[in-house]
Amino acid sequence: MKKLSYILGAALVTMGSFTSCDIDDVENYTETSTENFPVTPADATAVLAGIYENLNETHAYPQQSFYYYSELASDDQLGGGGVNDKLMQAEDLLTNYNADMTNDFWKARYAGINRANTLIAAIPNLTALSDEEKTQYMGEALTLRAFYHYELASMYGNVPLMTVPSGETVTPGDVKVLWGQILQDLYTAATTMKAQRLTNGHIDKYVAEALLGRVWLFYTGFYGNGTSIADLTSTTYNPLTEVALPDGTTLTKKMVADLIDDCVNNSGYSLVSDYRNLWAYTNKYTAKDYKYVNAPVVGKAKDGVTDSITGYKAKDGIKWVEDDNAINPEAMFAIKFNKLADWATTIGYANGVALHFGVRGGQAYENTFPFGQGWGAGPVAPNLVDDWKSAEPNDPRLEASVQDVRNLPNYTFGGWADFVQETNFYEKKLSPVSAKNDGSQGDDFSVEKKPYFATFENLMYGVTGWPQNADNMQLNNIHDLVLVRFADVLLMQSELKEDVSGINKVRARAGLPAIAAYSLKALQNERRFELAFEGTRWNDIRRWHIAAAALERQTNQPVYYEGKPDKNKPHNGGYAARFNATAGFAKIPDSQVSVGSAPQNDGYATSDGEYTGW
């Protein structure tokens, strides 16, 4: 008899931690047998909440997550952090640090998959649910199971496929079956769920369609030449046009393109009018003091006037799309956070990615405003800035996405003097955001001196309900981490159909001229610039088979090491060598190898794969 642990509270279900794929030794608050659970609609809701909660669970240690790894491993960001933050640097350099560098992520994701399997197996027998409810629950569970497998397979390669509730150790099979199942789960969800956009935080059919497009493009491109390391690191781009699914059917490129068309035409998701309004630094408490968003876009509009060509509106056109809990019409799939983050419960309820990617330096908030404090992960690679300026010199998305700290009026160099790979460039999308309280927003915590700077969330969402009794730079970042937005779907549409319609809609929103004819290079640039720092670039360069060359361009880029000018020097053979040895897969945690969950990946058998320090 296998045991499933659950606690229902505050609209979330917190599940116990799992070791490998084994759930026998979970320390339970409540023990329920999977032989007779779930039974009621309330049971099913509890399990479904637990599947979603896994999104937060993995972000209790964001530095181990695939999202975080994909940012640092890509060619657009370096590792960063301090001299003791070797994990950050190891992920950038496609190396490993310590035996179980990402073991918590592995365990948590398989816990989420097991919860999904529990619900999927039970749904046909839940007689109290209507057929429509069963279809919705099944679609959500299938989508999340597919997404969790997708992240694991992207990060580690041929990982165990789990499709039934199990406490046994499962070993990898045929990687084609693994990816076929991921695609089949998403296709089933996309073609059975009700054609209705949901705004209640639940996955709808259009999210399943978008994720199907993402998975299809990655798998068919990356594995287009075969499954060996030589195939995956080949510089030949030869994407598949059809994939055999485990149920005996075939999924084609045309079928996927049709569903992406459905998402574009019928979902109700849409682009926001101003690209800058997607990012938390335009929130109403911060924007009033941040000169960048209180000034006209250069060459686009005069103060307070809507430009007839671009639609940009200076000053009064700036408004964060999520101000006062408004729904972001462009965000399709996002991780939500809340005030309940606490060291005594789970820090996964706070946006740990924001903390990690915040400005490093130990400076006062007023020096880094509008950005908050953090650990300095992911300094923007200068080669991205150079490429962007060269390819799109008039693209306003560059300044909307990248902050040159030399342009912050009060920023001072120094603070923590242990910074590794500092570049002067920080991304602006993931960072913590601060705001100035002049006292008019109420007595926020116990701050005697006003005005003062704090995380903007303390002003936006009020001071009640936080477990801690002061502004906390580590726990009070709770703005969403968006995983899929509608602009990505428009670019998928162009790529699948090889036309410029989606590309030009995205470019029009940025105030850029339309392109006349589709080309893969134009599509690659558009994805790189529109979706910078949103977790897509790493799998993009891998699937297009341009990763080794793109990564190698980071070598010798200008950086600072402990405050002194330096070069981003090669380690462990260099970026291209490490990619060609590993195909970009991370080391499988030694704990998983030792229990037989999977054999170790190529590139980690010797000391060549171990990072020892800068």
Side-chain angles (χ1 to χ4, degrees), residues 222-243:
F222 191 47
Y223 286 91
N225 301 313
T227 61
S228 71
I229 287 290
D231 296 328
L232 301 178
T233 59
S234 166
T235 57
T236 300
Y237 178 50
N238 183 36
L240 304 171
T241 58
E242 61 180 38
V243 175

Side-chain angles (χ1 to χ4, degrees), residues 18-29:
F18 298 78
T19 303
S20 300
C21 300
D22 196 332
I23 61 173
D24 282 323
D25 58 352
V26 176
E27 183 175 333
N28 296 327
Y29 288 84

